[in-house]
Amino acid sequence: MNYVYVLLLLGTVVALCVFLGRFSEKLKIPSLLLFIGLGMLFGENGIGISFDDYSLTGVICSVCLIFVIFYGGFGTNVKEARPVMAQSLLLSGVGTALTAGITGVIVYFIFNTFTTVGWIECMLIGSVLSSTDAASVFNILRTRRLGLKYNTSSLLEMESGSNDPVSYMLTVLFASLLTVDNFGAGQVIWIVVKQIGIGAAFGAFLGFGAVFVLRKLPFGAGQGGTIFVFAVAILSYSLPQIPFLGGNGYLAAYITGIIIGNARIDKKREIVKFFDSLTGVAQMIIFFLLGLLVTPAQLPRVMLPALIVFGVITLIARPAAASGLLLPFRTKPNKLLVVSLAGLRGVASVVFAITATELAGGALTFDLFNLVFCVAVLSILVQGTLLPPVSRAVGMIDSTSNVMRTFNDYQDESDIGFVRIRVGKDHAWFGKKLKDAVMPEGFLILLVLRNKRTFVPDGRTTVMDGDILVAAAPAFEKNDEFGMYDEYIGKSHEWAGKSLREIDLPHGNLVALIRRGGKCIVPRGGMVVREGDVLALIKTDELTGGDKDLLETEVAETIKEQVNDEENAAAESAAADVNAENEE
């Protein structure tokens, strides 16, 4: 395929995925499921793109999965997860192995009632499907704002982010057992030791090494630190995977991510924004490619086995493993139910199925990829859709908590922002001591620039004409939640030179503020928008309930006052003209 068409397809797919992501919020279903559906729509039984390159898909998805797992570690807030860390590690380690074992055993006895499937193949099915998918769990927790009681959000976050390496290790182990004769117990133990030991060692070394470099070395480029972390994420996976080492690259990537994410480093917010976008695109690509690779016409023949495996792992294996490990911690029944239901299978399982298919080659007697694909889709559709309402039904929603606090990339309202204020003779603070100046709560003047001299003020410092004050204030980072955005007015912008009442704003949008030449101006209907202005707009249609009603009422009153002011000013001007004529 010509590379131009490949790029055209890529751009179209990503744009459609973004649109579908917004659409999924109204449908109340996981957006990742729509990405798979989009891939199937473009595929052989849809628009007609014939794509069956398992090897290329495996490479692309494995690379994308590096960043998903790395960012899963980066976003894990160890401080928030500390109360449930022991439970999380048990679930991600022993729980993943138990889920794989229980699934493999039950599937073996069920499948062998109507066909012949070996022990190792059944254990391979259990291994591939044993991990809780971080991408799916994070997607549901974030988009549905599921703040769960008893630190359950932190538990699920850490468990789902750290159990992919265990599932990958088991997958490689059982796929190798299918192709190698006389595989001894000593060799099995050696593979496990190498996978865990080398992966953990490289993850810790690169994680602490990256933190040291980020703290000690200045990066000249504006995004130098972010680019460096991007390189470290790639190295954390690739170095342990060197053939003669044989370490677990995904484990190393997760550990590296969790060390960097929980360290105090400069400009972490920029790193967060970059990886948030990168992993978003990575997930879109993975799910689309998997949907494109699958042939829907082949799915009916694996649907019954997939339903059996899905039922076993969802209703028996996952609850049994979770109960056995969490009951000693005196876990409440409603928490146990939510943890069991939250064991979603997803992208990692399908990617591992591709890996297993390549490693095992012709040793597999069934279609592992299509089987695991169907199970993953069923899991995202059924469990992903049921998790929010079931959590509410069993009283697991904590209305006082914010699930975003369990993620390192959450920007708390206490984050500091800096404001530059130029003082003139008409400023309210002119001539006053700082201790007497009326300031918003949380405002603190850090520096004063006066006559090209900078100094740190105190409460007795008098504010003078021409002073430039640098103030610290709580930063506001959640503009998107309130439908707020900026619109820069360039020279060729269609609004430039028009008054606000002449501008055809998008439906439901209001101009809340105009930033012009370092000053913030309250907008009025007759005000003309100039080149270089920055308009702060609010999308009222994204607000709900009382917030929207209150805002619309206040805006209506403000506009009414502004119109009255302008009419009064016009009337006064006209009256003054008449009086002037009469005097003449």
Side-chain angles (χ1 to χ4, degrees):
M1 184 184 291
N2 188 298
Y3 77 94
V4 173
Y5 293 112
V6 173
L7 292 176
L8 179 62
L9 177 64
L10 178 62
T12 302
V13 167
V14 173
L16 287 173
C17 285
V18 172
F19 171 76
L20 289 175
R22 298 283 295 175
F23 187 62
S24 69
E25 296 176 7
K26 298 180 179 180
L27 292 180
K28 304 299 182 183
I29 62 174
S31 59
L32 305 179
L33 195 63
L34 295 179
F35 302 160
I36 291 178
L38 184 64
M40 297 173 71
L41 178 64
F42 274 80
E44 189 174 343
N45 295 142
I47 293 177
I49 297 178
S50 181
F51 181 76
D52 58 358
D53 194 330
Y54 282 79
S55 180
L56 178 61
T57 303
V59 170
I60 295 174
C61 291
S62 295
V63 171
C64 290
L65 197 58
I66 295 170
F67 301 112
V68 173
I69 291 177
F70 172 83
Y71 194 50
F74 189 97
T76 299
N77 191 324
V78 172
K79 182 179 179 181
E80 292 286 334
R82 189 170 288 120
V84 291
M85 187 171 293
Q87 301 172 44
S88 301
L89 294 178
L90 273 175
L91 276 177
S92 65
V94 179
T96 302
L98 281 175
T99 301
I102 295 171
T103 302
V105 170
I106 296 177
V107 165
Y108 173 80
F109 286 109
I110 294 177
F111 279 12
N112 278 276
T113 59
F114 53 86
T115 187
T116 302
V117 184
W119 271 107
I120 296 178
E121 290 178 291
C122 291
M123 293 304 296
L124 181 60
I125 294 173
S127 300
V128 169
L129 289 164
S130 59
S131 70
T132 298
D133 187 64
S136 302
V137 173
F138 286 13
N139 180 268
I140 292 170
L141 290 179
R142 287 172 183 255
T143 58
R144 299 293 179 260
R145 299 282 172 172
L146 286 185
L148 302 174
K149 294 180 179 178
Y150 319 124
N151 295 107
T152 306
S153 298
S154 295
L155 170 67
L156 294 174
E157 173 201 343
M158 176 164 275
E159 184 233 346
S160 62
S162 60
N163 61 10
D164 285 340
V166 179
S167 176
Y168 178 74
M169 179 185 67
L170 294 173
T171 298
V172 172
L173 175 63
F174 285 106
S176 301
L177 286 172
L178 275 176
T179 57
V180 179
D181 296 329
N182 301 319
F183 215 73
Q187 290 175 289
V188 172
I189 294 173
W190 177 237
I191 288 176
V192 173
V193 170
K194 281 204 307 179
Q195 285 270 311
I196 297 176
I198 294 175
F202 271 91
F205 173 76
L206 288 169
F208 288 116
V211 171
F212 176 81
V213 171
L214 288 167
R215 287 175 174 174
K216 297 296 182 181
L217 297 183
F219 288 91
Q223 298 295 328
T226 302
I227 296 170
F228 174 73
V229 174
F230 172 77
V232 169
I234 296 174
L235 289 172
S236 66
Y237 171 81
S238 56
L239 284 177
Q241 291 281 116
I242 295 174
F244 67 85
L245 291 176
N248 192 317
Y250 291 121
L251 177 62
Y254 180 77
I255 292 175
T256 301
I258 205 169
I259 291 172
I260 298 175
N262 286 274
R264 291 188 177 275
I265 54 178
D266 291 338
K267 299 182 179 179
K268 183 183 285 188
R269 191 175 302 179
E270 294 180 3
I271 299 173
V272 164
K273 290 179 179 179
F274 172 79
F275 276 95
D276 203 36
S277 300
L278 179 63
T279 54
V281 173
Q283 290 176 32
M284 292 175 187
I285 291 173
I286 292 173
F287 280 90
F288 174 80
L289 273 180
L290 296 178
L292 186 65
L293 183 64
V294 75
T295 304
Q298 298 175 356
L299 297 182
R301 68 186 183 189
V302 298
M303 189 55 70
L304 179 59
L307 285 169
I308 293 172
V309 173
F310 172 70
V312 168
I313 202 167
T314 305
L315 301 178
I316 302 175
R318 168 73 177 184
S323 300
L325 295 172
L326 296 183
L327 283 177
F329 292 91
R330 298 180 180 179
T331 304
K332 296 182 180 295
N334 56 346
K335 176 179 177 178
L336 196 58
L337 175 62
V338 170
V339 170
S340 299
L341 183 62
L344 279 79
R345 317 298 135 183
V347 60
S349 296
V350 186
V351 173
F352 295 161
I354 296 174
T355 302
T357 301
E358 292 184 325
L359 289 174
L364 284 171
T365 60
F366 58 91
D367 189 349
L368 180 64
F369 172 77
N370 282 328
L371 174 68
V372 173
F373 178 86
C374 287
V375 174
V377 171
L378 285 169
S379 179
I380 296 172
L381 178 61
V382 177
Q383 293 173 266
T385 304
L386 288 178
L387 183 59
V390 168
S391 299
R392 294 186 182 91
V394 299
M396 275 293 292
I397 301 297
D398 184 357
S399 58
T400 63
S401 72
N402 185 347
V403 68
M404 302 306 289
R405 291 181 183 273
T406 67
F407 295 97
N408 269 328
D409 56 347
Y410 169 75
Q411 300 301 323
D412 197 349
E413 287 82 3
S414 63
D415 287 347
I416 299 300
F418 298 99
V419 182
R420 178 184 178 187
I421 304 170
R422 182 182 294 274
V423 176
K425 292 183 178 180
D426 57 343
H427 197 281
W429 297 347
F430 169 69
K432 294 184 178 179
K433 296 185 185 314
L434 286 177
K435 65 179 181 180
D436 299 325
V438 179
M439 299 183 188
E441 184 178 355
F443 236 66
L444 179 65
I445 306 300
L446 299 179
L447 294 173
V448 176
L449 176 61
R450 178 182 297 167
N451 298 325
K452 298 183 179 180
R453 186 175 69 90
T454 303
F455 62 92
V456 178
D458 58 26
R460 295 167 296 177
T461 301
T462 301
V463 181
M464 300 177 64
D465 181 26
D467 281 355
I468 296 177
L469 312 180
V470 179
F476 182 69
E477 287 292 325
K478 291 296 177 181
N479 299 353
D480 56 325
E481 287 185 14
F482 298 91
M484 298 177 66
Y485 67 99
D486 288 344
E487 182 77 23
Y488 175 75
I489 308 300
K491 185 176 181 180
S492 59
H493 198 288
E494 62 177 329
W495 296 351
K498 293 183 179 180
S499 67
L500 289 177
R501 64 165 60 94
E502 293 173 336
I503 293 175
D504 185 17
L505 289 172
H507 177 71
N509 283 239
L510 296 168
V511 178
L513 194 72
I514 298 177
R515 190 163 68 246
R516 176 182 296 168
K519 294 184 178 180
C520 293
I521 306 170
V522 176
R524 298 180 181 276
M527 186 173 292
V528 176
V529 177
R530 301 176 185 173
E531 177 188 349
D533 285 353
V534 178
L535 275 57
L537 292 98
I538 301 176
K539 292 185 281 188
T540 59
D541 55 350
E542 291 195 6
L543 301 176
T544 58
D547 291 336
K548 181 176 181 180
D549 295 339
L550 179 61
L551 177 63
E552 289 180 342
T553 300
E554 291 180 347
V555 169
E557 292 176 354
T558 301
I559 291 174
K560 183 177 178 181
E561 290 174 2
Q562 291 171 357
V563 170
N564 289 338
D565 289 343
E566 291 171 1
E567 291 176 348
N568 291 337
E572 290 173 2
S573 177
D577 292 341
V578 171
N579 291 334
E581 291 177 0
N582 291 336
E583 289 177 1
E584 292 177 358

